[in-house]
Amino acid sequence: MVTARIRTDQPSRAAHEGIAVRVSLKDVAAHAGVSIKTVSNVVNNYQHVTPAMRERVQRSIDALGYRPNLAARHLRKGRTGIIALALPELGNPYFAELAASVIDAASEHDYIVLLDHTGGMREQELLVSQGFRARVIDGLILSPIELEAEDLRDRAQDVPLVLLGERDYDLPYDHIAIDNVAAARAAVRHLICLGRREVAFIGARRGRSEPAQLRVRGWREELTAAGLSADEGLVAATDGWGHADGALAMNHILDSGRRPDAVFAYNDPMAIGAMRVLHERGLRVPEDIAVVGFDDVIEGRFGAVTLTSVSPDKAAIGRLAVESVLARLNDRAPEPRRIWADYRLAERESTLGRPAAGKVTDV
Amino acid sequence: MVTARIRTDQPSRAAHEGIAVRVSLKDVAAHAGVSIKTVSNVVNNYQHVTPAMRERVQRSIDALGYRPNLAARHLRKGRTGIIALALPELGNPYFAELAASVIDAASEHDYIVLLDHTGGMREQELLVSQGFRARVIDGLILSPIELEAEDLRDRAQDVPLVLLGERDYDLPYDHIAIDNVAAARAAVRHLICLGRREVAFIGARRGRSEPAQLRVRGWREELTAAGLSADEGLVAATDGWGHADGALAMNHILDSGRRPDAVFAYNDPMAIGAMRVLHERGLRVPEDIAVVGFDDVIEGRFGAVTLTSVSPDKAAIGRLAVESVLARLNDRAPEPRRIWADYRLAERESTLGRPAAGKVTDV
DNA sequence: GACGGCATGTATAACGTTGTAAAACTTGAG
DNA sequence: CTCAAGTTTTACAACGTTATACATGCCGTC
């Protein structure tokens, strides 16, 4: 069969007219009357090329509209220029914002991001970590939820892996996170300083125990340190981490007859779900119950009651994750590191004495 | 330099121990004592392979832990198995949810999604549409904001392009969207049926005119059809489409001395930003001012006042987009089509007579 | 029992790129 | 002028895969 490729005398014109033309180094070389490798040298900014030659070849490149074939380059070099980012859920705005920050950071290094989501399910996380979902990647940034250390232990080390988030493995991989225990303690301390004495925790994960563990621990430690009781009856387990889960958990606590004067939620959507329930039940935030969330997502700043939240430096996390992956790719790979990103506590109406009045706060 | 590849007598064992081993068809062929192509045939489920041979080769594949090299396959076949999805913003939960739906749909066809975001900036959209940001893709799904028709007209037709969203081009590309004019009219009609007479529109785009145009048009048409005046003084232009922009716009309208009895916002985040302002100014929703948003993002269901919103069928949009791209890839390419996705109006507290009481609504 | 036809397996040549090594030029010193 | 020591360019062989075309073996049939 005749190859379906279209060649014209004036490919540049053809290209301009929108006809598919694939131009290879070979074509450029022929056009410029030099060898393929010389063209390659020009394309790759090889040092020893005379300005005259560079000029001449560049002219042909422009004329033909040549663009390197990445598949071939990849096959040859073993690099794709793609890193994968696997997150539990895109629906959670925290992860969406994180994804944006990773994409931007990667793009600064001329890397492109392949995005995947696991739903926080071990099965999916396993597939991702072993590269079965995306097999064209130079590196992987994974934010695991259910994955166990053992799942990662016998992973083929083909592509470098960087872990994100709250899970705490003892494994030879870079891990980027904020200090969850300290951050949780800061949040709870803030509540205690407001005079709250019964602080509920919403969002311990039902079933497998690990996720949220660190934040629960922070909650427990801080209460204990303050001489208050860390009453496990005030810890509400949930199946997921969405608004609805927060609402369910809040209802559950209130239905059990408890009346905490503060709630610390695993994340913002859950805190907002909880606030909705409080509103429905006629409980005032923060007068009756103060609420603190985690992640500082944008929507927390625009509710009827704006939400106090632990605010991780998402931009830094994205940047650090990308840099870690690329460092390992380029063999500048030091010992596996635990990298702590910054965070702060963004205080808003949900923990203030007086609720809103005036202008939109803290945008 | 010696190639860094490690080969052992028992690669499977090595793989299990996490040592990087790259196994090619050649290795499998040697191991099974057959030709490379035969192994390839097995891998590709070629029809004419005896069960015995298939069995034997498969055994070698498993033993060596062979996995096809996608770069090579791509180079040979001209396909990557990757489609790109370029959205304006991931921070907007609508787009995040849409991304999730595209990823899922793609994964059903064994395709992987490369995600990019343009910030809604023409420059970025141009780069994306011409494939300068991602050059390893089989197809592109783009949700443009500022891009003009002319920008797409002289695009090289290398990879199929499918357009998403409100922009309305007369170009030979598939376009998937809901009927924005009709949806906007439905939203405004709903407000009118509630007895509202002064309906403001928030979110006409400042500067370049196109985006939001269809929704503004729907607003205008429906008001006119109802015999009401489509007062352009009630249309607030904004720079972006976030919560803060909605808040600014709402403030702007109120500061101008107008007191509309309803607000129709370009999207949910803007509607929520507007509601926050109304709350700060002591105006009640819906009693004083009813609010309708667009996109039906999850957070609209958990505010103190839940938000009525136009709810596009995001799953369908994602699915249709992926199917369109793949159809065009496989040459089953009919005439460029405009495909309408479903939508409905999700009615909630922000347009009800009486606000919440009872349970979390409509999750 | 040779022969067409079919099912099965194989050798080889691409795909477009870059690394290596060697060839072809410069240049400047003796 | 020659030759050594650069600098610049070239030829060629990979990278791992699949398409093509061909070789083989096995039927049943004339």
Side-chain angles (χ1 to χ4, degrees):
Chain A
M1 198 183 71
V2 177
T3 63
R5 186 182 299 181
I6 297 166
R7 284 270 160 76
T8 73
D9 294 334
Q10 298 165 296
S12 66
R13 191 173 141 268
H16 190 265
E17 286 173 2
I19 299 170
V21 180
R22 217 169 283 156
V23 182
S24 75
L25 284 181
K26 194 155 117 189
D27 303 303
V28 178
H31 185 273
V34 297
S35 84
I36 292 178
K37 189 65 211 299
T38 301
V39 181
S40 170
N41 286 339
V42 171
V43 171
N44 291 282
N45 275 316
Y46 180 63
Q47 204 173 357
H48 300 298
V49 181
T50 52
M53 178 59 93
R54 172 152 302 173
E55 166 72 16
R56 175 167 141 215
V57 170
Q58 189 60 52
R59 211 186 298 276
S60 294
I61 288 176
D62 295 342
L64 300 181
Y66 166 78
R67 278 165 52 193
N69 178 320
L70 293 196
R73 185 174 281 179
H74 173 208
L75 175 59
R76 181 64 237 225
K77 306 228 287 190
R79 289 284 176 85
T80 55
I82 300 177
I83 56 181
L85 172 65
L87 299 171
E89 278 186 303
L90 276 171
N92 181 331
Y94 171 71
F95 290 118
E97 291 173 31
L98 187 59
S101 118
V102 167
I103 290 174
D104 289 338
S107 125
E108 302 228 326
H109 297 273
D110 289 320
Y111 264 80
I112 292 281
V113 174
L114 226 158
L115 193 65
D116 214 340
H117 59 176
T118 61
M121 294 176 296
R122 185 173 175 214
E123 194 60 31
Q124 288 294 313
E125 293 178 341
L126 208 54
L127 286 180
V128 165
S129 76
Q130 299 181 339
F132 277 106
R133 292 216 13 119
R135 293 177 298 190
V136 278
I137 59 175
D138 292 346
L140 172 61
I141 301 171
L142 171 65
S143 176
I145 296 283
E146 291 197 333
L147 211 60
E148 298 300 327
E150 71 207 47
D151 293 332
L152 287 173
R153 196 156 279 133
D154 59 342
R155 187 183 104 91
Q157 310 251 9
D158 266 316
V159 299
L161 168 66
V162 168
L163 296 170
L164 243 47
E166 205 209 355
R167 289 301 304 266
D168 190 23
Y169 304 107
D170 183 25
L171 287 172
Y173 296 112
D174 284 343
H175 187 128
I176 294 153
I178 66 171
D179 185 336
N180 275 274
V181 176
R185 289 190 66 156
V188 173
R189 188 177 322 126
H190 174 60
L191 290 168
I192 293 172
C193 289
L194 291 171
R196 310 294 165 145
R197 290 297 172 262
E198 279 207 66
V199 182
F201 184 93
I202 278 183
R205 192 84 189 287
R206 219 194 297 286
R208 307 188 152 269
S209 58
E210 174 72 32
Q213 210 185 35
L214 298 180
R215 295 177 196 177
V216 174
R217 192 200 302 169
W219 167 84
R220 189 179 298 120
E221 286 181 7
E222 189 63 29
L223 285 177
T224 309
L228 299 170
S229 80
D231 181 350
E232 302 293 333
L234 285 175
V235 175
T238 56
D239 291 315
W241 335 264
H243 296 77
D245 300 293
L248 284 172
M250 192 73 248
N251 267 322
H252 184 260
I253 287 179
L254 295 176
D255 287 343
S256 76
R258 309 294 302 250
R259 273 294 175 283
D261 53 13
V263 171
F264 175 37
Y266 177 70
N267 65 17
D268 279 3
M270 299 187 81
I272 289 166
M275 287 203 295
R276 167 70 194 176
V277 164
L278 294 174
H279 175 74
E280 287 174 358
R281 290 184 169 229
L283 292 165
R284 292 165 305 160
V285 176
E287 293 86 342
D288 300 323
I289 301 193
V291 178
V292 177
F294 209 110
D295 288 348
D296 191 22
V297 305
I298 184 94
E299 69 172 285
R301 309 218 265 267
F302 288 91
V305 179
T306 58
L307 177 64
T308 294
S309 188
V310 173
S311 181
D313 187 343
K314 293 166 205 129
I317 294 175
R319 187 172 39 75
L320 289 169
V322 169
E323 283 167 4
S324 291
V325 164
L326 296 186
R328 233 151 255 289
L329 251 176
N330 298 326
D331 269 351
R332 298 182 284 97
E335 283 298 286
R337 292 179 305 163
R338 171 136 330 179
I339 303 170
W340 300 116
D342 270 350
Y343 66 91
R344 65 187 190 90
L345 186 68
E347 298 179 23
R348 304 210 181 82
E349 293 164 4
S350 69
T351 57
L352 286 185
R354 289 152 297 167
K359 56 183 282 293
V360 173
T361 32
D362 187 19
V363 177
Chain B
M1 200 183 70
V2 177
T3 61
R5 186 182 298 181
I6 296 165
R7 284 269 161 76
T8 72
D9 294 333
Q10 298 164 295
S12 65
R13 190 173 141 269
H16 190 268
E17 285 174 2
I19 300 169
V21 180
R22 217 168 283 156
V23 182
S24 76
L25 283 182
K26 194 154 116 187
D27 303 305
V28 178
H31 185 273
V34 296
S35 84
I36 292 178
K37 189 65 214 298
T38 300
V39 181
S40 171
N41 285 339
V42 171
V43 171
N44 291 282
N45 272 317
Y46 182 63
Q47 206 174 359
H48 301 298
V49 181
T50 52
M53 178 58 91
R54 172 152 303 171
E55 166 73 15
R56 174 168 143 214
V57 170
Q58 188 60 52
R59 212 186 297 275
S60 293
I61 289 177
D62 294 342
L64 299 181
Y66 167 78
R67 279 164 53 191
N69 177 321
L70 294 196
R73 183 175 282 177
H74 174 208
L75 175 58
R76 184 63 240 220
K77 305 225 290 190
R79 290 283 177 83
T80 55
I82 300 177
I83 56 181
L85 172 65
L87 299 171
E89 280 187 302
L90 275 171
N92 181 331
Y94 171 71
F95 290 118
E97 292 173 31
L98 187 59
S101 118
V102 167
I103 290 174
D104 290 338
S107 121
E108 301 228 326
H109 297 272
D110 290 318
Y111 264 80
I112 293 279
V113 175
L114 225 158
L115 194 65
D116 214 339
H117 59 175
T118 60
M121 294 176 296
R122 183 169 176 217
E123 195 59 31
Q124 287 294 313
E125 293 178 342
L126 207 55
L127 286 180
V128 165
S129 76
Q130 298 180 340
F132 278 105
R133 293 220 6 124
R135 294 177 299 190
V136 277
I137 60 175
D138 291 347
L140 171 62
I141 301 171
L142 171 65
S143 176
I145 295 283
E146 291 197 332
L147 211 60
E148 299 300 326
E150 72 207 46
D151 293 332
L152 286 173
R153 195 156 279 132
D154 59 340
R155 187 183 104 89
Q157 310 252 7
D158 267 314
V159 298
L161 168 66
V162 168
L163 296 170
L164 243 47
E166 206 208 357
R167 290 300 303 266
D168 189 23
Y169 305 107
D170 183 24
L171 286 172
Y173 296 111
D174 284 342
H175 187 128
I176 295 153
I178 65 171
D179 185 336
N180 276 275
V181 176
R185 290 191 65 156
V188 173
R189 189 178 321 126
H190 174 61
L191 290 169
I192 293 172
C193 289
L194 291 172
R196 311 294 165 144
R197 290 296 172 264
E198 281 206 64
V199 182
F201 184 93
I202 278 183
R205 192 84 189 287
R206 217 193 298 287
R208 305 186 153 270
S209 59
E210 173 72 31
Q213 210 185 37
L214 299 179
R215 295 178 195 175
V216 175
R217 192 200 301 169
W219 167 84
R220 190 179 297 119
E221 286 182 8
E222 189 63 29
L223 285 177
T224 309
L228 299 170
S229 80
D231 181 350
E232 302 293 332
L234 284 175
V235 176
T238 56
D239 291 316
W241 335 263
H243 296 79
D245 301 292
L248 283 172
M250 192 73 248
N251 267 323
H252 184 259
I253 287 179
L254 295 176
D255 288 342
S256 76
R258 309 294 303 250
R259 274 294 175 282
D261 53 13
V263 171
F264 175 37
Y266 176 70
N267 65 19
D268 279 3
M270 299 187 80
I272 289 167
M275 287 203 296
R276 167 72 194 175
V277 164
L278 294 174
H279 174 74
E280 287 173 0
R281 290 183 169 229
L283 292 164
R284 292 165 305 161
V285 176
E287 293 86 344
D288 300 322
I289 301 192
V291 178
V292 176
F294 209 109
D295 288 347
D296 191 22
V297 305
I298 184 93
E299 69 171 285
R301 310 218 264 266
F302 288 90
V305 179
T306 57
L307 177 65
T308 294
S309 187
V310 173
S311 182
D313 187 342
K314 291 165 205 132
I317 294 174
R319 187 171 39 73
L320 289 168
V322 169
E323 283 168 4
S324 291
V325 164
L326 296 187
R328 233 151 257 287
L329 251 177
N330 298 326
D331 269 352
R332 298 182 286 97
E335 282 299 284
R337 293 179 303 162
R338 172 135 331 179
I339 303 170
W340 299 116
D342 270 350
Y343 66 92
R344 65 188 189 87
L345 186 68
E347 299 179 23
R348 304 211 181 83
E349 293 164 3
S350 69
T351 58
L352 285 186
R354 289 152 298 166
K359 56 182 281 294
V360 173
T361 33
D362 186 16
V363 176

